[in-house]
């Protein structure tokens, strides 16, 4: 090490006479060469790793392309409405991706077999639902006549010329009451069966403002112990639909609020318009609906432990009819409930406003 002059490699030789000759060469060139070699090797290694990574990615991608197609098939199946109605499950993995000699082909073939079983099960379910709906429709239609006869004969017997004993009169009144209740249940079942079959509803301009006024007036007469409030816009709101069925929707929501809230509760009905829908809400300040029951509120014959009680005469079909009629009008219905406030929100498309 010669300080500022750098490192040298030296060789010393002793000659005759005691002389020593030293020969030295600088190491700076050697070090530069070594670093250049190291840099070149690092660059070559980096390029080699990059090329190997790119080649590996391309090979893996090409190898997994059939698996991507299998996953795409499964994704398309998940997007199908399999929960209700007739389902044509025609989605399958391509034949090229069902080669049993490869692992991906085995997965594709297994998925196709599973989809075949699911399609068979869905077809069987649809056939069973169709038979049940047809049976309900036929039975409901056939039951209306004998129920009317029972109610009529009971009323005639109770109001006949001959005086009937009090216990018999009470029994006849109970027969009339229960036949009326059963007739209402049969009518609800028949309506649901007709909606299930996709039978089209009447389509004409329906004045929701006037409809709400009539429905709230009827509810006030049926439940004078409640406080009924109505909030309407300054203009008349109309939507295309079936006036009788939409009146039934509002009446069922108001009846639901009246039956399942204590006397003195306030029920507020509101009508408004947003960007593309007429928004109808029915809110009450009753005890609310338990969270675990809210997802099932629009199911048929759904009942809570206390709020849905037969003692109130509830059939469990009111909210199911609301959901079915609103869906037939291409609208939506939802509920938000907590202790002290329950709000049903109905949205109906294509509203128009008249001054």
């Amino acid at each position: 090490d010669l300080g500022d002059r750098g490192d040298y490699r030296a060789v010393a030789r002793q000659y005759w006479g005691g002389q020593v000759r030293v020969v030295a060469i600088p190491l700076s060139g050697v070090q530069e060469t070594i670093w250049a070699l190291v840099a070149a090797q690092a660059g070559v290694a980096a390029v080699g790793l990059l090329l190997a990574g790119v080649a590996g990615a391309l090979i893996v991608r090409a190898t997994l392309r059939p698996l991507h197609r299998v996953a795409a098939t499964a994704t398309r199946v998940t997007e199908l409405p399999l929960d209700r109605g007739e389902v044509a499950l025609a989605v399958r993995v391509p034949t090229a991706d069902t080669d049993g000699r490869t692992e991906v082909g085995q997965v594709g073939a297994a998925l196709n077999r599973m989809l075949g079983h699911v399609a068979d099960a869905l077809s069987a379910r649809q056939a069973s639902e169709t038979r049940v709906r047809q049976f309900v429709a036929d039975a409901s239609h056939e039951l209306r006549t004998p129920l009317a006869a029972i109610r009529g004969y009971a009323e005639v017997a109770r109001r006949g010329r001959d005086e009937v004993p009090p216990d018999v009169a009470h029994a006849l009144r109970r027969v009339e009451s229960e036949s009326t209740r059963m007739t209402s249940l049969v009518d609800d079942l028949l309506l649901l069966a007709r909606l299930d079959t996709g039978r089209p509803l009447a389509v004409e301009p329906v004045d929701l403002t006037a409809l709400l006024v009539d429905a709230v007036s009827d509810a006030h007469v049926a439940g004078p112990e409640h406080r009924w409030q109505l909030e309407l816009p300054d203009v008349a709101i109309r939507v295309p639909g079936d006036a009788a069925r939409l009146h039934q929707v509002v009446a069922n929501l108001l009846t639901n609020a009246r039956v399942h809230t204590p006397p003195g509760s306030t029920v507020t009905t509101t009508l408004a318009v947003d960007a593309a829908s007429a928004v109808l809400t029915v809110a009450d300040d009753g005890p609310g609906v338990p969270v675990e029951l809210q997802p099932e509120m629009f199911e048929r014959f759904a009942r809570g432990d206390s709020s849905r009680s037969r003692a109130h005469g509830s059939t469990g079909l009111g909210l199911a009819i609301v959901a079915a009629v609103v869906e037939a009008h291409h609208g939506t219905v939802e509920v938000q409930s907590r202790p002290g406030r329950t709000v049903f929100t109905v949205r109906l498309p294509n509203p128009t406003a008249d001054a």
Side-chain angles (χ1 to χ4, degrees):
D1 181 6
L2 298 183
D4 295 339
R5 294 180 179 272
D7 294 338
Y8 283 77
R9 183 173 181 81
V11 177
R13 286 286 180 85
Q14 187 175 7
Y15 293 89
W16 295 281
Q19 293 183 350
V20 178
R21 179 176 293 179
V22 179
V23 179
I25 60 174
L27 297 180
S28 57
V30 176
Q31 292 175 348
E32 291 176 359
T33 302
I34 292 174
W35 285 114
L37 290 174
V38 171
Q41 290 178 353
V44 170
V47 172
L49 289 176
L50 179 61
L51 293 177
V54 172
L58 293 176
I59 293 173
V60 170
R61 180 173 296 181
T63 304
L64 295 181
R65 190 173 293 117
L67 189 58
H68 289 317
R69 291 194 291 267
V70 173
T73 301
T75 301
R76 289 196 298 272
V77 172
T78 61
E79 295 171 352
L80 295 175
L82 304 179
D83 56 335
R84 63 185 183 276
E86 186 175 359
V87 179
L89 190 58
V91 180
R92 293 292 186 276
V93 177
T95 305
D97 300 327
T98 58
D99 187 357
R101 294 173 296 180
T102 64
E103 288 79 0
V104 175
Q106 294 173 6
V107 173
L111 181 59
N112 276 351
R113 289 193 298 271
M114 183 187 71
L115 291 177
H117 293 315
V118 172
D120 294 340
L122 291 175
S123 298
R125 184 207 67 181
Q126 177 62 21
S128 176
E129 288 184 356
T130 301
R131 289 193 296 270
V132 170
R133 289 170 181 169
Q134 188 62 43
F135 168 76
V136 171
D138 294 342
S140 300
H141 182 75
E142 295 297 329
L143 284 172
R144 298 176 75 180
T145 300
L147 284 173
I150 291 172
R151 188 171 67 242
Y153 279 118
E155 184 177 355
V156 169
R158 186 170 58 86
R159 297 181 180 180
R161 296 180 180 179
D162 297 332
E163 188 69 22
V164 297
D167 55 343
V168 176
H170 175 72
L172 290 174
R173 283 194 297 269
R174 293 303 303 152
V175 170
E176 288 182 50
S177 175
E178 289 304 312
S179 62
T180 301
R181 179 173 175 272
M182 191 170 182
T183 299
S184 176
L185 173 60
V186 167
D187 290 339
D188 290 344
L189 288 172
L190 185 58
L191 173 60
L192 287 173
R194 289 172 175 172
L195 292 174
D196 286 340
T197 58
R199 184 174 300 183
L201 299 175
V203 179
E204 59 184 7
V206 179
D207 188 347
L208 290 181
T209 305
L211 187 149
L212 289 183
V213 171
D214 294 341
V216 173
S217 298
D218 296 341
H220 185 272
V221 173
E225 70 280 1
H226 284 66
R227 293 191 295 270
W228 303 93
Q229 297 181 357
L230 180 60
E231 299 177 2
L232 298 175
D234 297 331
V235 295
I237 306 300
R238 287 183 170 84
V239 295
D242 189 317
R245 298 283 76 84
L246 290 177
H247 185 278
Q248 189 172 10
V249 166
V250 180
N252 284 2
L253 290 176
L254 294 175
T255 300
N256 183 78
R258 174 176 58 84
V259 170
H260 303 308
T261 57
S265 300
T266 300
V267 181
T268 303
T269 305
T270 306
L271 179 63
V273 177
D274 63 9
S277 302
V279 182
L280 186 157
T281 61
V282 176
D284 65 70
D285 57 0
V289 181
V291 176
E292 63 273 11
L293 297 178
Q294 293 181 21
E296 304 175 356
M297 290 187 63
F298 297 103
E299 298 294 331
R300 299 172 190 186
F301 301 105
R303 299 177 185 274
D305 293 335
S306 58
S307 63
R308 299 286 193 271
S309 173
R310 290 186 185 272
H312 298 293
S314 172
T315 63
L317 292 177
L319 293 181
I321 290 176
V322 169
V325 172
V326 171
E327 183 179 358
H329 284 81
H330 309 289
T332 60
V333 58
E334 60 183 13
V335 60
Q336 294 179 345
S337 183
R338 55 179 172 79
R341 183 168 177 79
T342 299
V343 181
F344 287 88
T345 303
V346 176
R347 296 180 182 273
L348 298 172
N350 305 320
T352 57
D354 297 334

